Amino acid sequence: MNAWQDLLKLVKAGDVPGTIRFATELDAAGRKAVAAELPAYVTREFRATSWMEWAGQVSPLLLAGTACLSGAAAVTAWLFRREFRWGSQGESGRILELLRRRPVAWQADVARRIAARSRLPELRHWVVAAELVRGTGIEPPDDDAFKVGWLRTLRPSTAEGDPLFTAYGRRLFEIDGLSQTALWQVVEVVVRLVENGLLDRAAVIDGLVGRLLRDGPGARVELAGLHDRLDLDIDESAARARDYARLLPAGPVAVADLALAQLRRLEEAGRLEEELFAEAVAALAFRPEKKLLRTALSWAGDAVLREAGRVDAVLAAVSMIFAQDTPALRERAVRLAVKLAPQAGRAGREAVRQAAAELDGEQREKVSAAYGGGLAEARTPVATPLAAVRGPSLPPPVTSPQELARELAAFGRSPDVYAYERLLAGLAEWSHRAPDALREALRPWWHPFDPHTYGHYGSEIHEGLREAVNRAFLAFASPEHSGTLTRGAHKRRRPAAPGAFDRLYLRRALELVTPFETGTGYPVLLATPTSGTGHLDPPALLDRLERQEAEGVPALPADLAQALLRLPRHFSPSEIERAGRLTSGAGRACAAWMRAGGLTDPDVTVSVRRHQGYGGSVWHDLHAEFTPPTIPSAIPSAAPPTDAPTTAAVSATVATAPYPGPSAAAPASPAGLHEELRDLFEVRSGHTYTLTWWPLVMPAHREVVAAHLACYLPSSMDANDRQTQALAALAHGDGPLGPATAYALACGMGHANPAERAAATDAFLTLAARGEVPAQALGEAVTDLVESEFVKLNRVLSVLDDATQARAQEAVWAVVVRVLPGLLPKDGERPRAGVADLLATGTRAARIAGVRVDVPEVAAVAGRRGSSRLVLEARRLMQLIGSP
């Protein structure tokens, strides 16, 4: 015990040299005593101390455990403890010094264990494992993460004689985690190693080409650069011609470029087999990139001059380009097809004739004249109705206390709104139905008690939704421990959920704390939705209110407010009559809500704000404002009467606090209801990871939710945080749509990540299927955001094109025709990037929708001189939609 106390003094003082000296001088009994105390101390101290205090102890503790723990497994586990993740960098040398005091076989065991536990991207203690492998002479581990660590440290000056280089050098392109390295640096190193003769050139080329084939669309452009640096001669290229042809269909543009360059080089030298030539030009014709298609047309035209027998293969590829949306490419393909018509064989002529039916009138006539006439125009595709997308469904209710405890343990750092609702509803039900069984099931979850689980860190309270749910469960499972947190509610609060809707969710969880701490309980939540959209059926709410009245339990303000907000927009006479028979304050509030038809729909305005930053930088955000809605007059105001009970006054105080904690007594009336609602109509901007929760708060008032989303989505437009999923949920709600929905949807359509834009596509399709796309408002929003350089037009168009393919062509055209007047350039103006693509998007939608309409702005562009893509696309659209 004295050894532990003496070591502890050195640890708390942050004395690293002293700790090493003391630990290495201990006898076996002293090391055993220290090893017995270390794990519990680290767990306890990490939870109890501030970060600054803990950081000073990390290195001494890490090294003390390395010196005193006995088994290789125990030492490895110690090195990887989560408490040491930060604050111990730079200790590899000292750790190695301590480990090398052990037997060689023991060191080898530790090296293998560290390698097996290494994880990308950080690779903790990789240097330790690598030096032990080198020092012990064991076979280098085959773990991929360990190999990545070697690749990150590979240098030409140290490669020769390194056993890791000997083991991995020939297979470096087989490392799965290759992309987790600085590839530009790997390229330089490999070039040097090949020049120095340390890597076999042929093996490197084979490994490189093989890796490009293996990665397909995910191949890294840095590896294409390495291929260029190796500067293959004609014989080296010829030996890999078949691989280059296989790279063309799916590789990134840079990879397809290098493959095309090698194949064209071989063809020009007469060293490319005809079979591979035909395969290559066919593969290129399927590529969407204009640059590759232009090169393919140029190569095909030149190749036919060198070998006339290739005409049919070239025509088969050229005919595929007839379907391209780019007028200039189609025109080049038509010219080449017409030029080759006299030499065309039967197969080539048939391919051209079939594909030419899709061409526009003038181009089709040119091909028809060259290929024997009689080409019919392709039939306009039949537009099938767009099926309505089914809305989200609710998970089933919790069926046992044990299941509830498991669900709570799984409620992690990215909590789900449906899990939140399921947990709170399950807590209310099972705390009333089987309280002893639930407490028993929850004990392993909360014991031993850790204030961090509930957001209490020293002098601060971190208030997030996960912590609030945990706090509600703790209040039931262990009221005495929850009470210690309640008594510490004076601490400084750090809210983790900044949005008004987040705060409502936060209040709903925290207001359960008082009833459970005081033993009164709360048998049923009013606000639990009955639909995946967040809606609450009126009969279900009336059932719950009647149960609360029968048990003499007052409604909680946030629970009641959320329940009313989830009601539909219309009520039957029988539902209103039934509500009128309720006698509690919550019942009277519900009756007044139903009689008045709920909230009125506020008018919403949204505008783009431009901000000037330091150094001339410019950034934008969106600002939304409401006209205040009308709240049914029979609902009590937030200010309690002077003779109200103390509990009601406490309730009002809790409801109006910006980030409320649990009150000292159970609220007796919905006195804070006005405050709970008013907070939702004060819109701010910011960032949160809970946007997908928001549509479920007001499913019958989508425009209100959309106003909040419009102000928060801009901060996520370059992130991969899945916040645009809120748009898909929003579309399944009810209520009128206007500018707020339009701006929120336009932000999602303009997201940098295609996967995030897919959620905006889903929302657009849902609205289109229901005939609810706010086309005028969306057209104005897209125009405004593009002109403000807030979103990029090409991203918006990708969503509209996807929607056209999904049979929403009418809705797409309705939006495009409202965007065109604002974005088409006036005569003499330079066209904005993407405007020609906007015309092409409109053409695709109009063709399927069978549109015939005059658009003067498009006609004006189509009538200009020249053959720019903008003018060609305008002419193409006018040919399609112009009057017959």
Side-chain angles (χ1 to χ4, degrees):
M1 197 62 188
N2 290 336
W4 167 245
Q5 293 297 337
D6 291 343
L7 177 67
L8 192 57
K9 294 176 183 177
L10 296 169
V11 167
K12 289 192 172 183
D15 186 351
V16 172
T19 299
I20 294 175
R21 184 172 56 255
F22 183 85
T24 53
E25 292 175 356
L26 285 172
D27 57 16
R31 290 195 298 273
K32 185 176 181 180
V34 168
E37 296 288 342
L38 278 171
Y41 174 80
V42 167
T43 300
R44 184 174 61 252
E45 195 73 3
F46 179 73
R47 292 177 174 177
T49 62
S50 69
W51 168 245
M52 292 299 295
E53 295 173 28
W54 175 247
Q57 299 186 46
V58 168
S59 289
L61 286 168
L62 181 70
L63 296 167
T66 304
C68 295
L69 294 169
S70 57
V75 170
T76 304
W78 183 256
L79 292 174
F80 281 90
R81 283 194 65 136
R82 66 184 180 90
E83 295 92 344
F84 301 148
R85 182 177 291 275
W86 294 279
S88 61
Q89 292 85 353
E91 297 297 349
S92 298
R94 292 188 172 108
I95 293 172
L96 279 167
E97 178 185 345
L98 293 171
L99 295 180
R100 283 169 175 158
R101 295 171 179 263
R102 310 290 186 101
V104 172
W106 188 95
Q107 295 179 46
D109 192 6
V110 169
R112 295 188 189 96
R113 291 176 182 274
I114 294 177
R117 292 192 61 161
S118 293
R119 296 292 182 271
L120 295 167
E122 67 271 15
L123 292 177
R124 292 171 69 189
H125 305 300
W126 182 87
V127 172
V128 173
E131 290 305 313
L132 290 177
V133 168
R134 291 176 175 122
T136 58
I138 63 172
E139 184 74 20
D142 199 41
D143 306 274
D144 198 70
F146 186 84
K147 296 176 186 175
V148 171
W150 162 75
L151 196 54
R152 288 177 177 177
T153 60
L154 179 61
R155 299 292 183 272
S157 58
T158 58
E160 190 171 9
D162 182 1
L164 299 185
F165 177 76
T166 303
Y168 304 143
R170 299 175 185 174
R171 299 180 289 135
L172 70 87
F173 293 108
E174 299 173 14
I175 298 175
D176 289 335
L178 189 64
S179 61
Q180 298 278 349
T181 64
L183 276 177
W184 62 270
Q185 181 176 310
V186 173
V187 167
E188 295 299 324
V189 171
V190 170
V191 170
R192 290 276 303 280
L193 291 171
V194 170
E195 290 173 350
N196 296 343
L198 294 176
L199 283 178
D200 179 70
R201 177 180 172 85
V204 167
I205 296 172
D206 286 337
L208 170 60
V209 174
R211 183 60 186 244
L212 292 173
L213 284 168
R214 169 186 162 186
D215 288 347
R220 296 289 295 270
V221 296
E222 295 92 337
L223 296 183
L226 173 58
H227 187 281
D228 292 339
R229 293 284 301 278
L230 292 173
D231 192 21
L232 277 65
D233 61 35
I234 193 74
D235 293 325
E236 291 173 324
S237 296
R240 298 165 179 86
R242 194 164 298 276
D243 290 332
Y244 292 131
R246 291 166 58 201
L247 284 173
L248 287 176
V253 173
V255 174
D257 253 342
L258 82 83
L260 176 57
Q262 295 298 323
L263 291 169
R264 191 167 184 175
R265 171 193 188 192
L266 292 171
E267 187 273 325
E268 290 172 354
R271 298 189 60 175
L272 183 65
E273 298 175 8
E274 294 303 316
E275 175 191 353
L276 287 182
F277 170 78
E279 179 183 336
V281 293
L284 285 169
F286 277 110
R287 296 288 304 216
E289 299 87 0
K290 300 178 183 63
K291 171 187 175 183
L292 289 176
L293 290 171
R294 285 193 296 268
T295 305
L297 285 169
S298 174
W299 179 30
D302 293 343
V304 168
L305 296 177
R306 286 187 285 271
E307 176 55 62
R310 296 168 175 166
V311 169
D312 282 357
V314 167
L315 288 175
V318 165
S319 64
M320 298 177 196
I321 300 177
F322 289 174
Q324 283 288 325
D325 278 329
T326 307
L329 277 173
R330 288 198 308 275
E331 183 62 35
R332 286 187 63 180
V334 166
R335 286 202 304 267
L336 182 56
V338 170
K339 177 181 178 181
L340 297 179
Q343 302 165 263
R346 181 176 179 180
R349 297 179 71 83
E350 187 61 27
V352 170
R353 287 180 61 84
Q354 288 185 6
E358 302 292 334
L359 291 170
D360 296 335
E362 184 179 346
Q363 293 174 341
R364 188 173 61 254
E365 290 171 5
K366 290 179 180 178
V367 174
S368 180
Y371 283 81
L375 290 182
E377 182 179 356
R379 289 184 298 177
T380 301
V382 177
T384 56
L386 178 63
V389 182
R390 180 177 296 180
S393 57
L394 284 177
V398 176
T399 58
S400 69
Q402 293 72 27
E403 183 185 0
L404 185 60
R406 289 194 298 270
E407 290 290 318
L408 178 62
F411 193 64
R413 291 194 174 273
S414 298
D416 174 74
V417 63
Y418 297 106
Y420 168 92
E421 296 291 353
R422 194 165 182 256
L423 284 171
L424 290 193
L427 174 60
E429 177 184 357
W430 289 102
S431 65
H432 195 71
R433 183 173 165 184
D436 293 338
L438 181 57
R439 285 194 178 93
E440 182 180 354
L442 289 174
R443 181 171 175 78
W445 167 76
W446 70 265
H447 185 79
F449 174 64
D450 179 6
H452 292 180
T453 304
Y454 315 98
H456 285 246
Y457 295 87
S459 61
E460 295 183 340
I461 302 177
H462 176 90
E463 289 188 319
L465 294 168
R466 183 170 59 99
E467 289 79 9
V469 171
N470 289 346
R471 184 67 196 286
F473 273 83
L474 178 69
F476 166 76
S478 181
E480 59 277 14
H481 286 95
S482 180
T484 64
L485 300 180
T486 298
R487 290 188 289 275
H490 61 277
K491 299 177 181 179
R492 184 159 60 93
R493 299 179 183 277
R494 293 181 57 197
F501 296 113
D502 293 331
R503 293 196 293 274
L504 181 56
Y505 281 113
L506 197 72
R507 291 184 184 112
R508 287 181 55 208
L510 290 177
E511 69 183 2
L512 291 171
V513 171
T514 295
F516 286 130
E517 283 187 359
T518 57
T520 59
Y522 198 63
V524 59
L525 286 183
L526 301 176
T528 303
T530 54
S531 166
T533 61
H535 283 92
L536 173 57
D537 288 336
L541 175 58
L542 295 173
D543 289 342
R544 296 167 187 175
L545 286 167
E546 289 169 355
R547 179 180 174 186
Q548 285 192 352
E549 287 190 7
E551 299 192 21
V553 176
L556 298 172
D559 187 30
L560 175 60
Q562 176 63 99
L564 297 179
L565 290 171
R566 283 180 168 164
L567 289 172
R569 299 175 63 83
H570 305 288
F571 309 97
S572 68
S574 61
E575 291 166 349
I576 296 174
E577 181 184 356
R578 182 181 172 190
R581 294 195 294 268
L582 297 170
T583 58
S584 64
R588 292 193 301 273
C590 180
W593 186 278
M594 289 185 173
R595 283 193 298 269
L599 294 175
T600 58
D601 291 310
D603 292 328
V604 184
T605 59
V606 182
S607 59
V608 179
R609 297 191 301 190
R610 186 176 187 272
H611 304 271
Q612 190 78 32
Y614 292 106
S617 62
V618 176
W619 59 279
H620 300 82
D621 67 0
L622 294 178
H623 177 67
E625 291 183 353
F626 295 104
T627 57
T630 300
I631 300 175
S633 59
I635 296 179
S637 67
T642 55
D643 58 346
T646 303
T647 52
V650 170
S651 170
T653 302
V654 171
T656 57
Y659 306 103
S663 61
S669 72
L673 186 56
H674 269 285
E675 282 297 329
E676 301 292 347
L677 299 179
R678 189 179 68 182
D679 196 28
L680 303 178
F681 297 92
E682 296 177 0
V683 186
R684 302 175 184 176
S685 59
H687 182 270
T688 181
Y689 292 102
T690 54
L691 297 189
T692 54
W693 294 47
W694 295 8
L696 277 72
V697 174
M698 300 180 70
H701 292 273
R702 291 177 292 184
E703 187 72 351
V704 176
V705 179
H708 289 266
L709 293 178
C711 294
Y712 275 78
L713 278 172
S715 65
S716 295
M717 286 176 65
D718 293 317
N720 299 327
D721 53 13
R722 298 182 61 80
Q723 296 310 296
T724 55
Q725 294 291 331
L727 296 170
L730 180 77
H732 288 287
D734 295 316
L737 302 177
T741 302
Y743 275 91
L745 186 56
C747 286
M749 296 166 75
H751 199 285
N753 186 347
E756 298 280 348
R757 292 199 295 272
T761 306
D762 291 342
F764 188 94
L765 292 174
T766 298
L767 295 176
R770 297 168 62 169
E772 295 179 338
V773 173
Q776 182 64 42
L778 185 55
E780 293 172 357
V782 169
T783 302
D784 189 15
L785 293 175
V786 170
E787 287 182 334
S788 303
E789 298 184 352
F790 195 93
V791 300
K792 294 184 178 180
L793 182 57
N794 65 325
R795 295 173 181 172
V796 175
L797 297 181
S798 71
V799 171
L800 294 176
D801 282 332
D802 289 344
T804 298
Q805 293 182 17
R807 307 194 303 277
Q809 59 277 344
E810 287 88 356
V812 170
W813 171 255
V815 174
V816 170
V817 78
R818 288 167 171 82
V819 174
L820 284 169
L823 295 186
L824 282 175
K826 304 294 187 293
D827 198 8
E829 286 183 351
R830 183 182 180 86
R832 185 182 302 274
V835 174
D837 294 318
L838 174 63
L839 288 163
T841 296
T843 301
R844 285 188 285 273
R847 183 168 185 266
I848 301 174
V851 172
R852 288 292 186 270
V853 66
D854 290 328
V855 185
E857 294 83 1
V858 177
V861 175
R864 296 176 190 171
R865 294 181 177 179
S867 58
S868 67
R869 186 177 172 223
L870 177 71
V871 172
L872 292 176
E873 291 289 4
R875 291 171 183 167
R876 179 185 173 207
L877 179 56
M878 287 307 301
Q879 287 177 1
L880 182 66
I881 67 174
S883 301

